[in-house]
């Protein structure tokens, strides 16, 4: 397969308005979560995960020796911003926000994400794998916040779950580091062609 999914990245750039050097394409967004763990976490580093949320954030953190810091949500399952800020010690390297949340379905208001971006130094990963159903995004904030990273997937609205294609959008330097952790041929040729056709 084409290393780096160059043609697919060009199609994603047209779809999202984000430059090709500010994106990575992986074998599903799960692989991109693995890249984040390998590139950014060392033994004892912390990842903040609002609870409940997608299980793979914690799985990949533990796989590289990191510590998962679970933060309970409010009774209505909205994010508890004060609890997240309190949990953000200097060891915290990543905060994961699924928007909408998997499995509970709540939408995270844009101003909540902006508040967290303004107050935190760690990488804030907004998982927009259900964007096409949800219709709200924060990718327009990427030029403003270098510590914002947005993930999306072709598994949901595009129906390509079995082909495993996901992508992440962020700063060019971060994307370069993530690509250094990737396999040479991460996304197979059929998956790349299907994703281009789907877009």
């Amino acid at each position: 397969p084409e290393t780096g999914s160059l043609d697919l990245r060009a199609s994603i750039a047209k779809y999202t308005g984000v430059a090709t050097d500010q994106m990575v394409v992986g074998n599903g967004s799960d692989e991109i979560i693995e890249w984040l763990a390998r590139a950014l976490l060392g033994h004892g580093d912390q990842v903040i995960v609002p609870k409940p949320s997608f299980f793979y954030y914690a799985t990949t953190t533990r796989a590289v020796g990191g510590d998962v810091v679970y933060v309970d949500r409010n009774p209505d399952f909205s994010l508890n911003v004060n609890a997240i800020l309190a949990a953000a010690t200097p060891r915290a390297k990543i905060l994961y926000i699924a928007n909408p949340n998997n499995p509970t379905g709540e939408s995270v208001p844009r101003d909540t994400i902006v508040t967290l971006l303004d107050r935190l130094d760690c990488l804030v990963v907004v998982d927009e794998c259900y964007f096409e159903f949800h219709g709200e995004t924060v990718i327009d904030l990427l030029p403003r916040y270098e510590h914002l990273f947005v993930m999306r997937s072709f598994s949901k609205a595009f129906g390509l779950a079995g082909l495993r294609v996901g992508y992440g959008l962020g700063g060019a330097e971060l994307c370069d580091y993530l690509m250094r952790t990737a396999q040479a041929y991460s996304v197979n040729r059929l998956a790349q062609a299907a994703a281009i056709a789907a877009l």
Side-chain angles (χ1 to χ4, degrees), residues 113-144:
I113 297 173
V114 169
T115 296
L116 290 167
L117 286 165
D118 285 337
R119 303 274 305 272
L120 295 173
D121 294 325
C122 66
L123 185 70
V124 177
V125 178
V126 180
D127 187 340
E128 295 186 353
C129 283
Y130 292 91
F131 161 71
E132 283 77 15
F133 298 113
H134 186 228
E136 296 179 16
T137 184
V138 291
I139 63 169
D140 59 297
L141 297 177
L142 289 171
R144 180 175 163 191

Side-chain angles (χ1 to χ4, degrees), residues 91-115:
R91 291 171 54 205
K93 303 302 181 188
I94 302 174
L95 164 65
Y96 280 104
I97 301 172
N99 193 29
N101 188 46
N102 176 6
T104 55
E106 291 77 36
S107 176
V108 181
R110 180 185 179 90
D111 60 348
T112 298
I113 297 173
V114 169
T115 296

Side-chain angles (χ1 to χ4, degrees), residues 5-83:
S5 305
L6 299 180
D7 290 341
L8 175 52
R9 282 163 61 195
S11 293
I12 293 171
K14 292 178 183 176
Y15 182 64
T16 63
V18 177
T20 56
D21 66 343
Q22 292 184 266
M23 68 179 65
V24 293
V25 176
N27 193 285
S29 59
D30 289 355
E31 184 176 48
I32 296 172
I33 296 170
E34 293 174 7
W35 294 348
L36 288 166
R38 289 201 298 263
L40 302 179
L41 301 178
H43 184 76
D45 286 337
Q46 295 176 338
V47 170
I48 302 171
V49 179
K51 181 182 178 181
S53 196
F54 185 46
F55 76 95
Y56 210 56
Y57 308 144
T59 300
T60 55
T61 298
R62 293 189 186 106
V64 298
D67 296 327
V68 181
V69 178
Y70 286 112
V71 176
D72 288 332
R73 293 172 179 268
N74 294 317
D76 63 356
F77 289 112
S78 62
L79 289 185
N80 187 331
V81 173
N82 289 333

Side-chain angles (χ1 to χ4, degrees), residues 131-198:
F131 161 71
E132 283 77 15
F133 298 113
H134 186 228
E136 296 179 16
T137 184
V138 291
I139 63 169
D140 59 297
L141 297 177
L142 289 171
R144 180 175 163 191
Y145 297 103
E146 63 181 17
H147 62 303
L148 171 63
F149 187 77
V150 178
M151 293 189 306
R152 290 188 181 169
S153 172
F154 284 88
S155 294
K156 316 306 186 211
F158 293 104
L160 301 181
L163 290 181
R164 309 305 304 144
V165 189
Y167 61 97
L169 309 168
E173 185 177 12
L174 173 61
C175 290
D176 178 56
Y177 278 115
L178 295 181
M179 287 305 298
R180 296 182 198 187
T181 72
Q183 297 181 55
Y185 306 107
S186 177
V187 185
N188 71 74
R189 185 185 299 266
L190 289 177
Q192 290 183 43
I196 291 170

